[in-house]
Amino acid sequence: MTDLLPNFFFDPTKCFIGGRWVAPLGGDYLPVENPSDGTEFAKIPRGQKADIDAAVAAARAALEGPWGRTPAAERGRILTRIGQKVLERVDDLARLEAMDVGKPLKQARADALALARYMEFYGGAADKLMGETIPYLDGYTVYTLREPHGVTGHIIPWNYPMQVLGRSVGGALTMGNACVLKPAEEACLTAIAFAKIAEEAGLPPGVLNVVPGLGEEAGAALTSHPGVNHISFTGSVPVGQLIQRAAAQNVVPVTLELGGKSPQLVFADADLDRALPFLVNAGIQNAGQTCSASSRILVDRKIHDEVLARMAERYTALRVGPAVADLDLGPMVSERQRQVVENFLGDIGSAEIAARGSIQSDAPGAGHYLAPTLVSGVTADHRLAQDEIFGPVQVIIPFDSEEEAVAIANGTDFGLVAGLWTADGSRQMRLARKIRSGQVFINNYGAGGGVELPFGGTGKSGYGREKGMEALYGFSVLKTVAAWHG
Ligand code: NAP
Ligand code: MG
């Protein structure tokens, strides 16, 4: 696995606070595991409340210093420079991520490129969000200003560390906030690397602070901190609920990007040759550890057996192995996550395993490998069709009418993404409105990542929007100025 050994162009044992690389105040560290072979290859700080206190103070100082007066165009220029430097480091970042979370190299590379795109997109957007003048009473001029919240807290998960960092921190910096980032314990390396890149690109001290550590320690300290003015959280529903409660104490707004159980609806008139790769990829990409994974395939009963057979054929060809082998799937991020998925598969009741991919025979025994699994004979209320599994498992469910398809699609607690496969234009328009989710894709799924496309949930998938221009409303606060001049 040595050919993956990342180039540490930064010090992974340090927090980045106030523009300085500092050891965690408590002197504790966490091991970094390579999920492809179970080895430990680095250590990262186990940040605590004291480190978060220092980071929030540094962010506040930055806001009160030059950053608070930096023109939007200059903020944009800095973000654009960060994006360029990310591009120069794409291969280093990809190797780092592949080693840290087990992503196949091509996926890790796509994530690094997306991080660069977020910086480019938001760099260009920084001076494009405008206020309004509002017609009002005689003798008044009224206008609105978009101002930063102040200090923004960012808690991100391990599944797409670079992408979520990019969309969350990118949007916040664009609007002139100062950020404190607590990456996920299993995936801190690219966040620390990003801080180094941002420093090299000239981001002023204290504007971005990174404190690695555990959720219940550094994470909880950040989300309950009275000096934080906005929280952007991406992760699970239970932790999202905890964060909402913590934020309520300080009455600060929260953006929650939570889980999903996203369906793809396949009608009898669908172009199956086009649909098939999307149907499967949307379930197994990143070993199914994707918030917008399509874990439910709803199929018109008339073509159910054909779709099942064609998906099964693809599943049988899927190969799982170490990140460096760059196959269809890498390992799960951790043994804990692998076990979560095994537990689901150990209790499928009357459902049937229709097909599985295969783990390469030379994959290291200590890696957290799991063969992707297609399950048929599942009813809409089955646990596998209701709960987020967060692994490479898809269920296929037949429907008999458009109404039933919509009812099944909308019949979970979640509502993040949906896919529609049909040639009927009226049905496309009708269902795009009826489906309860934050995004609907018609005759595609995922649309190539979509930095530009607003993203977020309904129901227990959360609220607020990140990505695209829409995110910038969430990362700012509107002020109305009413001037009387007679
Ligand atoms: P998680 O367990 O909720 O963790 C997410 C983040 O929250 C991590 O940084 C975690 O830190 C931190 N955390 C845990 N407990 C905390 C607490 N008490 N206070 C503050 N922070 C705390 O989720 P995960 O297992 O990493 O990620 C999987 C979940 O994320 C899935 O449900 C997935 O659907 C969702 N997700 C959603 C999106 C989206 O955009 N909608 C994108 C990606 C993932 P530690 O891990 O270090 O403990
Ligand atoms: Mg790791």
Side-chain angles (χ1 to χ4, degrees):
M1 215 109 331
T2 45
D3 43 346
L4 255 193
L5 203 61
N7 171 10
F8 284 122
F9 55 89
F10 59 98
D11 183 349
T13 66
K14 297 285 180 358
C15 304
F16 185 57
I17 298 176
R20 292 172 49 235
W21 294 93
V22 292
L25 291 167
D28 289 332
Y29 295 87
L30 297 164
V32 179
E33 188 205 31
N34 176 354
S36 292
D37 62 10
T39 57
E40 287 174 9
F41 66 98
K43 62 174 187 168
I44 51 169
R46 178 173 173 172
Q48 306 276 357
K49 184 174 181 307
D51 305 292
I52 292 290
D53 287 346
V56 172
R60 180 65 58 198
L63 286 166
E64 286 164 5
W67 181 245
R69 298 187 300 277
T70 301
E74 179 57 22
R75 292 199 303 266
R77 211 170 272 142
I78 295 171
L79 282 177
T80 306
R81 264 203 313 269
I82 297 175
Q84 282 162 356
K85 289 199 171 286
V86 169
L87 279 180
E88 289 163 18
R89 297 275 195 197
V90 158
D91 289 321
D92 281 341
L93 289 168
R95 288 192 356 258
L96 200 58
E97 198 78 291
M99 187 106 165
D100 197 5
V101 300
K103 277 173 198 273
L105 271 173
K106 56 180 172 298
Q107 176 67 57
R109 198 162 197 285
D111 288 7
L113 288 170
L115 174 58
R117 274 293 296 137
Y118 279 112
M119 296 303 127
E120 291 168 353
F121 180 84
Y122 284 122
D127 56 356
K128 311 284 186 300
L129 208 68
M130 319 228 173
E132 296 179 310
T133 55
I134 300 175
Y136 198 54
L137 305 175
D138 182 39
Y140 284 83
T141 295
V142 181
Y143 59 95
T144 59
L145 297 171
R146 286 244 152 232
E147 297 184 334
H149 290 287
V151 177
T152 51
H154 304 259
I155 308 253
I156 64 176
W158 44 259
N159 59 343
Y160 288 86
M162 284 190 276
Q163 295 212 30
V164 182
L165 185 161
R167 74 184 195 206
S168 175
V169 166
L173 292 179
T174 303
M175 296 313 292
N177 298 283
C179 305
V180 178
L181 168 67
K182 204 299 284 177
E185 172 206 348
E186 287 102 334
C188 287
L189 292 181
T190 50
I192 306 171
F194 178 80
K196 181 72 187 171
I197 290 172
E199 180 189 33
E200 287 173 1
L203 190 69
V207 174
L208 170 67
N209 306 274
V210 180
V211 180
L214 299 176
E216 58 272 27
E217 296 175 354
L222 178 58
T223 50
S224 62
H225 199 294
V228 171
N229 307 113
H230 177 279
I231 297 166
S232 160
F233 172 75
T234 304
S236 63
V237 175
V239 176
Q241 290 166 331
L242 283 179
I243 281 166
Q244 219 170 352
R245 271 188 222 116
Q249 296 306 313
N250 298 319
V251 195
V252 294
V254 183
T255 303
L256 295 180
E257 301 275 7
L258 309 178
K261 195 69 193 172
S262 298
Q264 293 187 76
L265 285 63
V266 190
F267 289 88
D269 61 355
D271 176 352
L272 288 187
D273 290 338
R274 177 173 165 79
L276 253 299
F278 285 90
L279 295 181
V280 173
N281 284 344
I284 59 96
Q285 178 179 311
N286 206 38
Q289 304 164 123
T290 304
C291 53
S292 54
S294 175
S295 47
R296 297 185 298 151
I297 307 297
L298 316 184
V299 186
D300 190 321
R301 196 180 297 277
K302 293 196 265 309
I303 55 165
H304 172 271
D305 292 354
E306 181 190 356
V307 172
L308 176 59
R310 291 180 67 177
M311 285 185 73
E313 193 183 330
R314 285 180 172 267
Y315 260 79
T316 311
L318 291 173
R319 291 173 311 148
V320 186
V324 67
D326 212 5
L327 304 175
D328 303 301
L329 291 85
M332 309 294 297
V333 72
S334 62
E335 190 51 30
R336 190 191 63 81
Q337 189 63 22
R338 202 187 72 81
Q339 208 50 56
V340 167
V341 183
E342 288 286 12
N343 289 346
F344 273 102
L345 291 174
D347 179 23
I348 66 170
S350 59
E352 286 167 32
I353 305 269
R356 299 199 83 173
S358 56
I359 299 168
Q360 293 287 92
S361 56
D362 58 354
H368 313 306
Y369 299 99
L370 188 133
T373 307
L374 179 64
V375 184
S376 62
V378 173
T379 52
D381 58 355
H382 195 285
R383 183 168 167 246
L384 292 183
Q386 288 289 324
D387 295 357
E388 185 182 49
I389 299 173
F390 226 56
V393 179
Q394 283 179 301
V395 299
I396 179 162
I397 305 173
F399 62 78
D400 289 301
S401 67
E402 188 179 295
E403 291 68 31
E404 192 192 3
V406 172
I408 298 173
N410 290 344
T412 73
D413 288 343
F414 299 103
L416 193 57
V417 175
L420 291 175
W421 295 93
T422 175
D424 179 338
S426 302
R427 177 185 279 147
Q428 292 169 2
M429 296 301 111
R430 197 164 49 241
L431 295 202
R433 288 177 185 268
K434 282 190 179 170
I435 301 256
R436 196 172 61 96
S437 72
Q439 290 186 328
V440 176
F441 292 103
I442 300 173
N443 293 331
N444 76 99
Y445 192 93
V451 167
E452 304 84 347
L453 312 182
F455 176 79
T458 61
K460 286 197 177 155
S461 292
Y463 54 77
R465 294 291 177 265
E466 291 190 346
K467 305 171 71 163
M469 292 298 283
E470 186 66 26
L472 301 182
Y473 296 103
F475 282 117
S476 59
V477 62
L478 189 82
K479 179 184 278 175
T480 306
V481 181
W484 182 80
H485 39 71

